[in-house]
Amino acid sequence: MTSSGPWRPPAPDDTVGADPVAGAGGEAELDRPPSPPPEEIRAAWGLWLAAAVFALAGMLLNAATARLTDLPVATQGAFRDAVDNAGATDISVDSLFQLALAVGAVFALLAAALTVWLAFRLRAGKGWARTMLNLIAVFLVIDAVSVVIGVFGGVAGAGERDEVVSFVVVALQILAGLCAATAVWRQHTAEALAYTKGDRGPRVGK
């Protein structure tokens, strides 16, 4: 039995304990620092929060102050006809109108909560949240446009409600639509799209 030299311990295996995520010559994915949201995403996030607040405040104020007589005469007649055709004799038209406003306020609360939650998901880099917010923006923009048309057509100022309250409600609806439209624009810039498509590593603020 021959020996070529003194005995040496075997060389350690460099592959043992190596991070399988790290590529050849690259850093491990888990070692990369989290990527903060870009300016466009932060701007869209803030605009969505503002849109939710404006829309909710406008709906709650409208529900608290609106009366059936605030509606255009044609709309009042259609509402009364609908109640008469339904055969609801145990409830008045005004009471049913207030019930409809209460239901609308509840939906407004849920919609505002959903919008805020989606805004935070957008800030965390979720592309599906951007898509859902696009759909919400459609409703807010359509509502704002209809209000503007009503103002110029003399419909928004109809009724017996105080003019200052009516102005505030209209202004809140328009502001909500403007914030939503601007947020959609900011969240579809190249920087924002790259962030929500997962091209910037781990996210912060999840």
Side-chain angles (χ1 to χ4, degrees):
M1 181 175 181
T2 60
S3 174
S4 59
W7 180 87
R8 296 183 179 87
D13 188 354
D14 293 337
T15 62
V16 177
D19 192 342
V21 181
E27 296 181 354
E29 178 74 18
L30 297 179
D31 293 337
R32 289 195 297 173
S35 174
E39 180 182 356
E40 298 294 338
I41 289 294
R42 294 196 302 269
W45 171 75
L47 286 167
W48 276 118
L49 295 184
V53 171
F54 287 143
L56 178 60
M59 183 61 194
L60 294 180
L61 182 59
N62 183 66
T65 60
R67 299 294 182 268
L68 182 61
T69 53
D70 295 328
L71 299 176
V73 177
T75 306
Q76 294 182 41
F79 190 85
R80 296 180 188 279
D81 291 341
V83 174
D84 292 339
N85 293 334
T89 58
D90 56 340
I91 186 171
S92 65
V93 175
D94 290 334
S95 298
L96 190 60
F97 179 72
Q98 294 301 320
L99 178 61
L101 290 176
V103 172
V106 172
F107 276 107
L109 285 169
L110 296 176
L114 176 62
T115 302
V116 170
W117 180 72
L118 288 174
F120 277 94
R121 294 295 86 201
L122 174 70
R123 184 182 172 91
K126 306 300 182 181
W128 56 264
R130 183 187 65 242
T131 302
M132 295 297 295
L133 288 170
N134 291 341
L135 298 177
I136 294 177
V138 172
F139 291 100
L140 292 178
V141 171
I142 290 177
D143 182 60
V145 171
S146 64
V147 168
V148 172
I149 294 175
V151 169
F152 285 101
V155 176
E160 302 175 356
R161 185 164 55 183
D162 183 77
E163 292 183 357
V164 175
V165 176
S166 298
F167 173 80
V168 172
V169 172
V170 168
L172 289 171
Q173 290 175 288
I174 294 176
L175 286 173
L178 289 175
C179 288
T182 308
V184 169
W185 169 57
R186 299 297 292 268
Q187 70 192 27
H188 281 83
T189 59
E191 187 180 14
L193 289 175
Y195 179 77
T196 54
K197 287 180 180 178
D199 298 339
R200 291 179 175 268
R203 308 287 187 245
V204 296
K206 291 184 180 181

